[in-house]
Amino acid sequence: MCIFCKIVAKEIPGDIVFESIDVLAFNDLTPQAPTHVLIIPKWHHESAAELAAMAPTTLAELFTVADQIAKERELDGYRLAFNTGESAGQSVFHAHLHLLGGRPFAWPPG
Ligand code: DGP
């Protein structure tokens, strides 16, 4: 079982900020911004593309949950990212949407 599946199963602790039938959101262990929340499908999918193909409604929910959290925290802007593949920085192969906010972000990202 992957590390995020273990958080979903409550086998290891996660600092959970939102939960629905299909989606879980929890604070990133190594936050890169004042708000750094990971929003994941509870069902294991390796990547955003696989999630889009297999469960598009759940993929859409990740975005609505991100916006809901941003509104609750009154963020004036935020960045969303899916890293896909090692060369793009993916280290956990369970699809996860990064919600980053609370500081300015440069573009293009490094
Ligand atoms: P990525 O590099 O895009 O695959 O992002 C993986 C993120 O997951 C990274 O920002 C650190 C975070 N992370 C890794 N292990 C854990 C964990 O056990 N708990 C939590 N909350 N976050 C984790």
Side-chain angles (χ1 to χ4, degrees):
M1 198 187 277
C2 87
I3 190 96
F4 287 177
C5 283
K6 286 182 181 168
I7 292 174
V8 170
K10 315 273 166 67
E11 280 185 22
I12 61 168
D15 189 4
I16 293 168
V17 299
F18 173 88
E19 181 163 17
S20 69
I21 292 169
D22 296 316
V23 170
L24 191 70
F26 49 93
N27 288 316
D28 195 290
L29 202 57
T30 53
Q32 303 301 314
T35 285
H36 188 172
V37 176
L38 301 175
I39 307 160
I40 71 168
K42 286 184 172 176
W43 195 258
H44 184 93
H45 297 280
E46 271 209 5
S47 66
E50 187 186 297
L51 178 62
M54 303 297 289
T57 307
T58 303
L59 176 66
E61 188 182 349
L62 301 189
F63 288 97
T64 55
V65 168
D67 192 63
Q68 186 181 314
I69 294 168
K71 284 194 169 87
E72 283 167 8
R73 297 183 182 198
E74 299 182 340
L75 300 178
D76 62 354
Y78 56 83
R79 181 164 291 174
L80 299 176
F82 281 106
N83 295 326
T84 301
E86 271 177 44
S87 64
Q90 187 175 7
S91 59
V92 177
F93 288 82
H94 180 132
H96 50 282
L97 179 62
H98 292 262
L99 165 63
L100 296 141
R103 68 167 172 84
F105 296 99
W107 190 263

